[in-house]
PDB file of all heavy atoms in Angstrom:
ATOM      1  N   PRO T   4      12.964 146.987  21.627  1.00 81.00           N
ATOM      2  CA  PRO T   4      14.358 146.528  21.586  1.00 81.00           C
ATOM      3  C   PRO T   4      14.812 146.117  20.186  1.00 81.00           C
ATOM      4  O   PRO T   4      15.972 146.318  19.834  1.00 81.00           O
ATOM      5  CB  PRO T   4      14.385 145.348  22.547  1.00 81.00           C
ATOM      6  CG  PRO T   4      12.988 144.937  22.724  1.00 81.00           C
ATOM      7  CD  PRO T   4      12.136 146.138  22.455  1.00 81.00           C
ATOM      8  N   LEU T  28      41.441 155.328   1.149  1.00 95.00           N
ATOM      9  CA  LEU T  28      41.969 156.631   0.735  1.00 95.00           C
ATOM     10  C   LEU T  28      43.375 156.865   1.273  1.00 95.00           C
ATOM     11  O   LEU T  28      44.250 157.372   0.563  1.00 95.00           O
ATOM     12  CB  LEU T  28      41.039 157.755   1.217  1.00 95.00           C
ATOM     13  CG  LEU T  28      39.646 157.809   0.598  1.00 95.00           C
ATOM     14  CD1 LEU T  28      38.802 158.859   1.302  1.00 95.00           C
ATOM     15  CD2 LEU T  28      39.739 158.093  -0.887  1.00 95.00           C
ATOM     16  N   VAL T  29      43.602 156.496   2.533  1.00 95.00           N
ATOM     17  CA  VAL T  29      44.916 156.691   3.154  1.00 95.00           C
ATOM     18  C   VAL T  29      45.976 155.863   2.430  1.00 95.00           C
ATOM     19  O   VAL T  29      47.077 156.359   2.145  1.00 95.00           O
ATOM     20  CB  VAL T  29      44.863 156.340   4.660  1.00 95.00           C
ATOM     21  CG1 VAL T  29      46.246 156.198   5.251  1.00 95.00           C
ATOM     22  CG2 VAL T  29      44.074 157.392   5.416  1.00 95.00           C
ATOM     23  N   GLY T  31      45.914 154.921  -0.624  1.00 95.00           N
ATOM     24  CA  GLY T  31      46.133 155.555  -1.926  1.00 95.00           C
ATOM     25  C   GLY T  31      47.052 156.762  -1.845  1.00 95.00           C
ATOM     26  O   GLY T  31      47.949 156.941  -2.683  1.00 95.00           O
ATOM     27  N   ASP T  35      50.859 157.197  -3.412  1.00 94.00           N
ATOM     28  CA  ASP T  35      51.304 158.321  -4.248  1.00 94.00           C
ATOM     29  C   ASP T  35      52.592 158.924  -3.717  1.00 94.00           C
ATOM     30  O   ASP T  35      53.514 159.220  -4.487  1.00 94.00           O
ATOM     31  CB  ASP T  35      50.222 159.403  -4.305  1.00 94.00           C
ATOM     32  CG  ASP T  35      49.067 159.027  -5.203  1.00 94.00           C
ATOM     33  OD1 ASP T  35      49.222 158.068  -5.994  1.00 94.00           O
ATOM     34  OD2 ASP T  35      48.009 159.672  -5.095  1.00 94.00           O
ATOM     35  N   LEU T  37      54.862 157.502  -1.775  1.00 93.00           N
ATOM     36  CA  LEU T  37      55.967 156.551  -1.841  1.00 93.00           C
ATOM     37  C   LEU T  37      56.335 156.189  -3.278  1.00 93.00           C
ATOM     38  O   LEU T  37      57.405 155.621  -3.507  1.00 93.00           O
ATOM     39  CB  LEU T  37      55.614 155.261  -1.078  1.00 93.00           C
ATOM     40  CG  LEU T  37      55.437 155.394   0.427  1.00 93.00           C
ATOM     41  CD1 LEU T  37      54.952 154.077   1.015  1.00 93.00           C
ATOM     42  CD2 LEU T  37      56.740 155.815   1.079  1.00 93.00           C
ATOM     43  N   PHE T  42      49.207 148.078  -3.111  1.00 96.00           N
ATOM     44  CA  PHE T  42      49.523 146.841  -2.418  1.00 96.00           C
ATOM     45  C   PHE T  42      50.741 147.013  -1.519  1.00 96.00           C
ATOM     46  O   PHE T  42      50.729 146.615  -0.351  1.00 96.00           O
ATOM     47  CB  PHE T  42      49.761 145.710  -3.442  1.00 96.00           C
ATOM     48  CG  PHE T  42      50.165 144.419  -2.806  1.00 96.00           C
ATOM     49  CD1 PHE T  42      49.220 143.615  -2.192  1.00 96.00           C
ATOM     50  CD2 PHE T  42      51.485 144.006  -2.819  1.00 96.00           C
ATOM     51  CE1 PHE T  42      49.586 142.423  -1.600  1.00 96.00           C
ATOM     52  CE2 PHE T  42      51.859 142.827  -2.229  1.00 96.00           C
ATOM     53  CZ  PHE T  42      50.909 142.016  -1.619  1.00 96.00           C
ATOM     54  N   ALA T  44      52.033 149.875  -0.375  1.00 95.00           N
ATOM     55  CA  ALA T  44      51.738 150.840   0.695  1.00 95.00           C
ATOM     56  C   ALA T  44      50.888 150.200   1.785  1.00 95.00           C
ATOM     57  O   ALA T  44      51.134 150.400   2.979  1.00 95.00           O
ATOM     58  CB  ALA T  44      51.033 152.062   0.112  1.00 95.00           C
ATOM     59  N   ARG T  75      48.482 155.924  18.249  1.00 91.00           N
ATOM     60  CA  ARG T  75      47.412 156.891  17.973  1.00 91.00           C
ATOM     61  C   ARG T  75      47.941 158.200  17.391  1.00 91.00           C
ATOM     62  O   ARG T  75      47.390 158.694  16.405  1.00 91.00           O
ATOM     63  CB  ARG T  75      46.588 157.143  19.233  1.00 91.00           C
ATOM     64  CG  ARG T  75      45.453 158.125  18.974  1.00 91.00           C
ATOM     65  CD  ARG T  75      44.472 158.199  20.091  1.00 91.00           C
ATOM     66  NE  ARG T  75      43.582 157.061  19.959  1.00 91.00           N
ATOM     67  CZ  ARG T  75      43.105 156.380  20.973  1.00 91.00           C
ATOM     68  NH1 ARG T  75      43.402 156.698  22.187  1.00 91.00           N
ATOM     69  NH2 ARG T  75      42.303 155.362  20.778  1.00 91.00           N
ATOM     70  N   PRO T  76      49.028 158.792  17.943  1.00 93.00           N
ATOM     71  CA  PRO T  76      49.537 160.015  17.307  1.00 93.00           C
ATOM     72  C   PRO T  76      50.044 159.795  15.881  1.00 93.00           C
ATOM     73  O   PRO T  76      49.877 160.666  15.019  1.00 93.00           O
ATOM     74  CB  PRO T  76      50.680 160.449  18.225  1.00 93.00           C
ATOM     75  CG  PRO T  76      50.383 159.834  19.535  1.00 93.00           C
ATOM     76  CD  PRO T  76      49.682 158.558  19.234  1.00 93.00           C
ATOM     77  N   ILE T  81      49.160 160.604  10.076  1.00 95.00           N
ATOM     78  CA  ILE T  81      48.910 160.118   8.709  1.00 95.00           C
ATOM     79  C   ILE T  81      47.568 160.633   8.202  1.00 95.00           C
ATOM     80  O   ILE T  81      47.448 161.062   7.049  1.00 95.00           O
ATOM     81  CB  ILE T  81      48.972 158.574   8.675  1.00 95.00           C
ATOM     82  CG1 ILE T  81      50.406 158.098   8.918  1.00 95.00           C
ATOM     83  CG2 ILE T  81      48.461 158.033   7.357  1.00 95.00           C
ATOM     84  CD1 ILE T  81      50.546 156.606   9.110  1.00 95.00           C
ATOM     85  N   LEU T  86      44.453 164.450   4.954  1.00 95.00           N
ATOM     86  CA  LEU T  86      43.466 165.534   4.947  1.00 95.00           C
ATOM     87  C   LEU T  86      44.010 166.762   4.225  1.00 95.00           C
ATOM     88  O   LEU T  86      43.324 167.358   3.383  1.00 95.00           O
ATOM     89  CB  LEU T  86      43.065 165.874   6.385  1.00 95.00           C
ATOM     90  CG  LEU T  86      42.019 166.956   6.578  1.00 95.00           C
ATOM     91  CD1 LEU T  86      40.686 166.520   6.015  1.00 95.00           C
ATOM     92  CD2 LEU T  86      41.879 167.289   8.044  1.00 95.00           C
ATOM     93  N   SER T  91      44.262 170.281  -0.454  1.00 96.00           N
ATOM     94  CA  SER T  91      45.064 170.990  -1.460  1.00 96.00           C
ATOM     95  C   SER T  91      44.653 170.595  -2.878  1.00 96.00           C
ATOM     96  O   SER T  91      44.774 171.395  -3.805  1.00 96.00           O
ATOM     97  CB  SER T  91      46.551 170.725  -1.249  1.00 96.00           C
ATOM     98  OG  SER T  91      46.857 169.381  -1.529  1.00 96.00           O
ATOM     99  N   ASP T  94      39.621 167.988  -3.246  1.00 93.00           N
ATOM    100  CA  ASP T  94      38.763 166.818  -3.129  1.00 93.00           C
ATOM    101  C   ASP T  94      38.110 166.842  -1.741  1.00 93.00           C
ATOM    102  O   ASP T  94      38.595 166.234  -0.790  1.00 93.00           O
ATOM    103  CB  ASP T  94      39.603 165.556  -3.323  1.00 93.00           C
ATOM    104  CG  ASP T  94      38.759 164.311  -3.479  1.00 93.00           C
ATOM    105  OD1 ASP T  94      37.515 164.422  -3.497  1.00 93.00           O
ATOM    106  OD2 ASP T  94      39.352 163.217  -3.589  1.00 93.00           O
ATOM    107  N   SER T  97      36.546 163.387  -0.064  1.00 94.00           N
ATOM    108  CA  SER T  97      37.580 162.549   0.554  1.00 94.00           C
ATOM    109  C   SER T  97      38.127 163.202   1.817  1.00 94.00           C
ATOM    110  O   SER T  97      38.424 162.520   2.801  1.00 94.00           O
ATOM    111  CB  SER T  97      38.713 162.292  -0.433  1.00 94.00           C
ATOM    112  OG  SER T  97      38.233 161.601  -1.563  1.00 94.00           O
ATOM    113  N   PHE T 100      35.660 162.506   4.626  1.00 95.00           N
ATOM    114  CA  PHE T 100      35.809 161.163   5.187  1.00 95.00           C
ATOM    115  C   PHE T 100      37.034 161.079   6.087  1.00 95.00           C
ATOM    116  O   PHE T 100      36.984 160.508   7.183  1.00 95.00           O
ATOM    117  CB  PHE T 100      35.917 160.118   4.071  1.00 95.00           C
ATOM    118  CG  PHE T 100      34.596 159.684   3.520  1.00 95.00           C
ATOM    119  CD1 PHE T 100      34.124 160.213   2.334  1.00 95.00           C
ATOM    120  CD2 PHE T 100      33.832 158.751   4.179  1.00 95.00           C
ATOM    121  CE1 PHE T 100      32.912 159.818   1.818  1.00 95.00           C
ATOM    122  CE2 PHE T 100      32.607 158.339   3.670  1.00 95.00           C
ATOM    123  CZ  PHE T 100      32.148 158.883   2.479  1.00 95.00           C
ATOM    124  N   VAL T 106      38.423 162.748  13.689  1.00 94.00           N
ATOM    125  CA  VAL T 106      37.593 163.160  14.824  1.00 94.00           C
ATOM    126  C   VAL T 106      37.123 161.941  15.605  1.00 94.00           C
ATOM    127  O   VAL T 106      37.124 161.939  16.844  1.00 94.00           O
ATOM    128  CB  VAL T 106      36.393 164.014  14.339  1.00 94.00           C
ATOM    129  CG1 VAL T 106      35.359 164.196  15.431  1.00 94.00           C
ATOM    130  CG2 VAL T 106      36.883 165.356  13.842  1.00 94.00           C
ATOM    131  N   ARG T 116      34.279 155.183  27.073  1.00 88.00           N
ATOM    132  CA  ARG T 116      34.048 155.319  28.511  1.00 88.00           C
ATOM    133  C   ARG T 116      32.580 155.630  28.805  1.00 88.00           C
ATOM    134  O   ARG T 116      31.980 155.052  29.714  1.00 88.00           O
ATOM    135  CB  ARG T 116      34.963 156.399  29.088  1.00 88.00           C
ATOM    136  CG  ARG T 116      34.924 156.519  30.584  1.00 88.00           C
ATOM    137  CD  ARG T 116      35.958 157.481  31.129  1.00 88.00           C
ATOM    138  NE  ARG T 116      35.985 158.757  30.446  1.00 88.00           N
ATOM    139  CZ  ARG T 116      36.998 159.171  29.656  1.00 88.00           C
ATOM    140  NH1 ARG T 116      38.040 158.421  29.482  1.00 88.00           N
ATOM    141  NH2 ARG T 116      36.949 160.342  29.066  1.00 88.00           N
ATOM    142  N   PHE T 129      19.487 146.534  36.716  1.00 60.00           N
ATOM    143  CA  PHE T 129      18.735 145.305  36.474  1.00 60.00           C
ATOM    144  C   PHE T 129      18.938 144.297  37.603  1.00 60.00           C
ATOM    145  O   PHE T 129      18.017 143.608  37.997  1.00 60.00           O
ATOM    146  CB  PHE T 129      19.162 144.698  35.134  1.00 60.00           C
ATOM    147  CG  PHE T 129      18.448 143.425  34.793  1.00 60.00           C
ATOM    148  CD1 PHE T 129      17.114 143.446  34.426  1.00 60.00           C
ATOM    149  CD2 PHE T 129      19.106 142.219  34.838  1.00 60.00           C
ATOM    150  CE1 PHE T 129      16.449 142.274  34.114  1.00 60.00           C
ATOM    151  CE2 PHE T 129      18.452 141.052  34.525  1.00 60.00           C
ATOM    152  CZ  PHE T 129      17.120 141.075  34.166  1.00 60.00           C
ATOM    153  N   PRO T 134      26.237 150.543  41.393  1.00 56.00           N
ATOM    154  CA  PRO T 134      27.657 150.472  41.056  1.00 56.00           C
ATOM    155  C   PRO T 134      28.489 151.254  42.058  1.00 56.00           C
ATOM    156  O   PRO T 134      28.043 152.245  42.629  1.00 56.00           O
ATOM    157  CB  PRO T 134      27.728 151.096  39.660  1.00 56.00           C
ATOM    158  CG  PRO T 134      26.507 151.911  39.522  1.00 56.00           C
ATOM    159  CD  PRO T 134      25.468 151.293  40.411  1.00 56.00           C
ATOM    160  N   THR T 138      36.296 156.889  43.663  1.00 57.00           N
ATOM    161  CA  THR T 138      36.727 157.901  44.619  1.00 57.00           C
ATOM    162  C   THR T 138      38.049 158.473  44.168  1.00 57.00           C
ATOM    163  O   THR T 138      38.718 157.934  43.292  1.00 57.00           O
ATOM    164  CB  THR T 138      36.876 157.292  46.025  1.00 57.00           C
ATOM    165  OG1 THR T 138      37.824 156.226  45.952  1.00 57.00           O
ATOM    166  CG2 THR T 138      35.549 156.756  46.539  1.00 57.00           C
ATOM    167  N   VAL T 142      42.375 159.807  48.457  1.00 65.00           N
ATOM    168  CA  VAL T 142      41.556 159.644  49.649  1.00 65.00           C
ATOM    169  C   VAL T 142      41.636 158.192  50.108  1.00 65.00           C
ATOM    170  O   VAL T 142      41.459 157.266  49.323  1.00 65.00           O
ATOM    171  CB  VAL T 142      40.085 160.025  49.361  1.00 65.00           C
ATOM    172  CG1 VAL T 142      39.213 159.743  50.563  1.00 65.00           C
ATOM    173  CG2 VAL T 142      39.992 161.477  48.971  1.00 65.00           C
ATOM    174  N   GLU T 149      32.841 150.459  66.567  1.00 75.00           N
ATOM    175  CA  GLU T 149      33.064 150.547  68.010  1.00 75.00           C
ATOM    176  C   GLU T 149      33.124 149.154  68.572  1.00 75.00           C
ATOM    177  O   GLU T 149      32.352 148.289  68.190  1.00 75.00           O
ATOM    178  CB  GLU T 149      31.918 151.315  68.673  1.00 75.00           C
ATOM    179  CG  GLU T 149      32.257 152.744  68.962  1.00 75.00           C
ATOM    180  CD  GLU T 149      31.146 153.401  69.720  1.00 75.00           C
ATOM    181  OE1 GLU T 149      30.795 152.913  70.815  1.00 75.00           O
ATOM    182  OE2 GLU T 149      30.640 154.402  69.210  1.00 75.00           O
TER     183      GLU T 149
END
Side-chain angles (χ1 to χ4, degrees):
L28 294 173
V29 166
D35 285 345
L37 294 174
F42 177 77
R75 181 169 280 143
I81 291 171
L86 181 65
S91 68
D94 191 3
S97 298
F100 277 100
V106 167
R116 187 173 48 249
F129 180 72
T138 58
V142 175
E149 260 185 58

